[in-house]
Amino acid sequence: MRVIHALWLRNLKAFIRNKPALIFNLLFPFFFIFVFGEIFRNDFIENPMSYMLAGIIAATVFDSSFRVSSSTIDDMTSGFMKEVLVSPISRLNIAAGQFVSSATVATVQGVIIFGVGFFIGFRITSPVTVVLALIAMVFIGLVLAGFGLLIATMTKNTQTFQAVSIAITMPMTFMSGAYIPLSMLPGALRWVGYFNPLTYVVSLFRTITLEKLDAPVADLVAEDLAFEIGRVTMGPVQALIVLVVVGTVFIGLSTLVFSKVDFSRMNRSKDDYLEL
């Protein structure tokens, strides 16, 4: 636990000290409100602002938990990870520390946007919803942190990770319903969205924050909070099951790959040396 806490505190401090990135990451999501806000104004959505903000928060938590994993690459190439491994510390504890720190940073950013949202039209009527939303953000951060660590461990290079992260996160975000309702996508892209884990992150988080966990399935489908895939309806319960399975796979694979990486052969890239 001391190792996990130390890595968690280290990454959290690094996040807080990087103020330009922090400010940009908090301002950028609100840009989408003005760009895509009108899309969600229709007869099926009762509170478009809450609906839009819920999707933005879910997408932000995903993006943050994924990108924080890039610190793993810095630790690898700088030699910090080698120094840590010299001590009698299990790699499982190191991976756990990265998961927890990524989820924490992502949750902090989600909570800040969540709080600011109340000043621009976000509405919640029950304190229980706030607690469930917070739990959901932590859960989402942990599930997707495994995905980020898996990509970071496999790429082993900051430049490669940045290119791969953009290629992965942008399509996943825009085909999840976070910014554009899934029902508005062409048929082929809609089916791609059904196999996108982020789709179920967005739908589950929206269902919680819009306080519609007990709403009829027909209403959830009309608001893109549930999906009919053939004869199967993917509601909140099914979305939670999907995320648990996906999270287990990502965390398991990332831990396995991380435990087999040979850090002794990892050094700074040539580009890094040219910058020095």
Side-chain angles (χ1 to χ4, degrees), residues 157 159 268-276:
N157 180 279
Q159 290 80 6
R268 289 181 178 271
S269 65
K270 293 180 180 180
D271 293 337
D272 292 334
Y273 283 116
L274 290 174
E275 292 176 0
L276 296 177

Side-chain angles (χ1 to χ4, degrees), residues 221-239:
V221 172
E223 294 190 49
D224 274 349
L225 299 176
F227 311 100
E228 292 182 342
I229 306 176
R231 296 183 180 181
V232 179
T233 301
M234 302 297 291
V237 175
Q238 290 78 10

